[in-house]
């Protein structure tokens, strides 16, 4: 049993292509994926705008809404809901140099068109969250953009979304690099800063992905805590990552169990989920996996969350307090290690 409700995006089950090699698994249809997600115990689906409405660039605004309504019917069929919609601005010929912070006015206009259509799709799917993973909002060549202007363009773009719909919430998913070299909004602290500069900070928060924090050299649990301290952690993407290298999206806990424990602990201790937030996963199956194992990384990640919830429920706060009073952090650390290893009693 878990106190959390879980969410997952269709891209979590993928064909295994990477930057250096082609796909290795057959595609699985969207309906087949969400049917399996429901069977696995997921409650909500994360969407890119074009996960919900493929080829949306070729459709009118009304056609886009009509397509989104078909997806809503599919969600209803499997008793699922939509968690958020994220404009996919990194895979388009209009956004080679980013969207909201592109040096081309035409590309910036396109990015806003996709952001507004994402809000339309969210409304049709019955959700009020827009996620911005700002994939190319930064630079490959440092001197190619003015970094102050870049941040201000982000803020203005978000203001546009807040104005377009008075109910929508914007969640920035920070990441320091990849596919770009330097991001304009790399960490949760930056997200809180951008939020504060918008016209309605109460509707601009963050979604923290474990791997993105690790890529910034930070502890994911502390990044979550930073958002929680501002009441602005509205989503998470749990996964794992071996150090500061290419983005790996490993199964949650696969690299660092203590960090996994402390992520779950900070979520549990701060009532994450009480306002309808989902524990989202953003994990990739290894390229080696055969098609029949396309969902195993998701099942494993969910299982680790639940195992860590059990560990958190056993966490001895009186013992923690005693060790803190004694400043005996060696014993506190060993206690945590033994708890995770199941050697605590
Ligand atoms: C990249 C990501 C993205 C986002 C997704 C939804 C493709 O590192 O984490 O996954 O999570 O776009 O915001
Ligand atoms: Mg993510």
């Amino acid at each position: 049993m878990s106190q959390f409700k879980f969410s997952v995006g269709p891209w979590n089950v993928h064909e295994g292509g990477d930057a250096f090699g082609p796909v290795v698994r057959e595609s699985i249809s969207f309906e087949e994926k969400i049917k399996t997600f429901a069977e696995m115990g997921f409650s909500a689906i994360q969407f890119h705008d074009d996960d919900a409405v493929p080829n949306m660039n070729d459709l009118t605004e009304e056609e886009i809404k009509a397509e989104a309504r078909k997806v809503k019917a599919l969600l209803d069929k499997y008793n699922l809901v939509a968690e958020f919609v994220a404009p996919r601005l990194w895979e388009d010929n209009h956004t080679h140099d980013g969207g909201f912070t592109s040096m081309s006015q035409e590309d910036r206009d396109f990015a806003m068109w996709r952001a507004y259509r994402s809000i339309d799709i969210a409304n049709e799917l019955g959700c009020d969250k827009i996620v911005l993973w700002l994939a190319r909002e930064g630079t490959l060549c440092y001197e190619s953009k003015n970094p102050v202007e870049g941040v201000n363009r982000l803020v203005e773009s978000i203001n546009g979304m807040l104005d377009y719909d008075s109910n929508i919430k914007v969640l920035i998913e920070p990441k320091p690099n990849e596919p770009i070299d330097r991001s304009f909004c790399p960490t949760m602290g930056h997200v809180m800063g951008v939020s504060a500069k918008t016209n309605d900070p109460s509707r601009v928060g963050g979604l923290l992905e474990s791997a993105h924090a690790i890529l910034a050299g930070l502890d994911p649990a502390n990044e979550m805590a930073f958002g929680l301290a501002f009441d602005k952690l509205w989503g998470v993407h749990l996964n794992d990552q071996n150090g500061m290298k290419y983005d790996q999206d490993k199964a949650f806990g696969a690299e660092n169990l203590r960090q996994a424990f402390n992520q779950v602990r900070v979520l549990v201790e701060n009532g994450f989920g009480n306002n309808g937030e989902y524990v989202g996963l953003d994990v990739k199956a290894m390229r080696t996996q055969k098609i029949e194992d396309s969902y195993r990384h998701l099942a494993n990640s969910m299982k680790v969350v639940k195992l860590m919830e059990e560990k958190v429920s056993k966490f001895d706060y009186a013992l923690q307090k005693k060790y803190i009073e004694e400043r005996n952090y060696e014993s506190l650390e060993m206690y945590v290690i033994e708890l995770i290893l199941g050697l605590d009693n």
Side-chain angles (χ1 to χ4, degrees):
M1 270 307 286
S2 175
Q3 73 176 68
F4 296 124
K5 287 188 295 179
F6 291 85
S7 75
V8 58
W11 64 89
N12 282 232
V13 173
H14 78 131
E15 295 81 4
D18 66 20
F20 298 98
V23 302
V24 294
R25 293 183 286 270
E26 299 278 304
S27 295
I28 298 173
S29 75
F30 176 74
E31 179 162 4
E32 176 63 31
K33 286 182 187 178
I34 66 165
K35 179 172 175 281
T36 308
F37 293 154
E39 286 163 5
M40 293 173 76
F42 286 98
S43 310
I45 304 297
Q46 311 164 16
F47 284 93
H48 293 122
D49 49 3
D50 57 1
D51 288 323
V53 184
N55 305 318
M56 58 187 286
N57 287 351
D58 304 330
L59 305 181
T60 65
E61 295 175 18
E62 286 313 311
E63 286 168 341
I64 290 171
K65 289 183 196 171
E67 286 302 310
R69 283 193 285 277
K70 291 184 198 160
V71 177
K72 175 72 167 75
L74 214 51
L75 291 175
D76 291 346
K77 178 173 166 192
Y78 295 105
N79 207 14
L80 292 163
V81 298
E83 181 192 13
F84 65 70
V85 179
R88 183 161 15 211
L89 292 179
W90 52 95
E91 279 190 9
D92 201 284
N93 282 331
H94 296 87
T95 53
H96 289 169
D97 191 26
F100 308 125
T101 68
S102 168
M103 294 307 285
S104 143
Q105 177 69 52
E106 197 185 326
D107 293 355
R108 291 198 299 277
D109 291 345
F110 172 79
M112 289 313 293
W113 185 83
R114 288 285 290 253
Y116 297 143
R117 299 299 72 75
S118 294
I119 295 172
D120 292 347
I121 294 169
N123 282 327
E124 295 299 338
L125 297 182
C127 71
D128 64 356
K129 287 178 179 156
I130 295 296
V131 167
L132 302 180
W133 170 46
L134 300 167
R136 299 188 194 277
E137 312 302 352
T139 54
L140 286 171
C141 169
Y142 186 83
E143 296 79 8
S144 66
K145 291 180 185 173
N146 175 326
V148 174
E149 189 176 66
V151 173
N152 287 331
R153 281 190 166 145
L154 266 183
V155 171
E156 281 159 26
S157 303
I158 293 169
N159 283 340
M161 296 171 221
L162 298 172
D163 285 348
Y164 181 75
D165 185 307
S166 58
N167 193 42
I168 211 79
K169 294 191 184 74
V170 176
L171 287 63
I172 302 175
E173 181 180 347
K175 185 176 181 183
N177 61 280
E178 206 195 22
I180 42 160
D181 179 30
R182 292 167 166 91
S183 164
F184 290 144
C185 193
T187 72
M188 196 49 94
H190 293 82
V191 171
M192 295 301 117
V194 168
S195 167
K197 205 171 184 310
T198 63
N199 290 341
D200 188 357
S202 74
R203 290 196 285 136
V204 184
L207 179 154
L208 194 281
E209 173 164 324
S210 323
H212 296 179
I214 297 165
L215 285 169
L218 299 172
D219 187 293
N222 267 8
E223 282 284 272
M224 290 174 189
F226 199 86
L228 286 163
F230 287 80
D231 290 324
K232 284 185 190 295
L233 186 75
W234 299 337
V236 292
H237 273 173
L238 298 187
N239 59 13
D240 215 342
Q241 167 76 27
N242 175 22
M244 297 162 85
K245 52 182 83 170
Y246 68 98
D247 184 3
Q248 298 179 310
D249 295 337
K250 289 183 177 226
F252 183 59
E255 282 298 321
N256 191 329
L257 286 175
R258 185 174 174 191
Q259 236 170 38
F261 168 75
N262 282 313
Q263 288 173 73
V264 173
R265 191 165 66 88
V266 81
L267 295 176
V268 169
E269 287 178 357
N270 292 282
F272 182 84
N274 289 348
N275 300 313
E277 301 92 350
Y278 294 94
V279 166
L281 301 180
D282 195 355
V283 289
K284 275 203 181 79
M286 286 178 251
R287 192 161 188 269
T288 51
Q289 295 308 105
K290 296 183 180 165
I291 187 140
E292 56 271 28
D293 296 316
S294 290
Y295 297 87
R296 202 176 287 284
H297 60 307
L298 286 165
N300 291 349
S301 296
M302 214 196 265
K303 185 169 179 182
V304 171
V305 175
K306 291 176 184 172
L307 288 170
M308 288 304 171
E309 280 183 82
E310 252 176 72
K311 297 293 179 187
V312 171
S313 73
K314 287 190 189 161
F315 188 67
D316 187 340
Y317 287 94
L319 189 62
Q320 180 198 30
K321 186 167 179 284
K322 174 175 165 297
Y323 285 147
I324 291 171
E325 279 164 7
E326 295 169 358
R327 228 171 61 213
N328 187 353
Y329 298 163
E330 295 293 350
S331 292
L332 178 55
E333 184 166 78
M334 194 60 194
Y335 162 64
V336 172
I337 292 168
E338 290 189 339
L339 175 67
I340 293 169
L341 291 174
L343 302 172
D344 50 310
N345 46 32

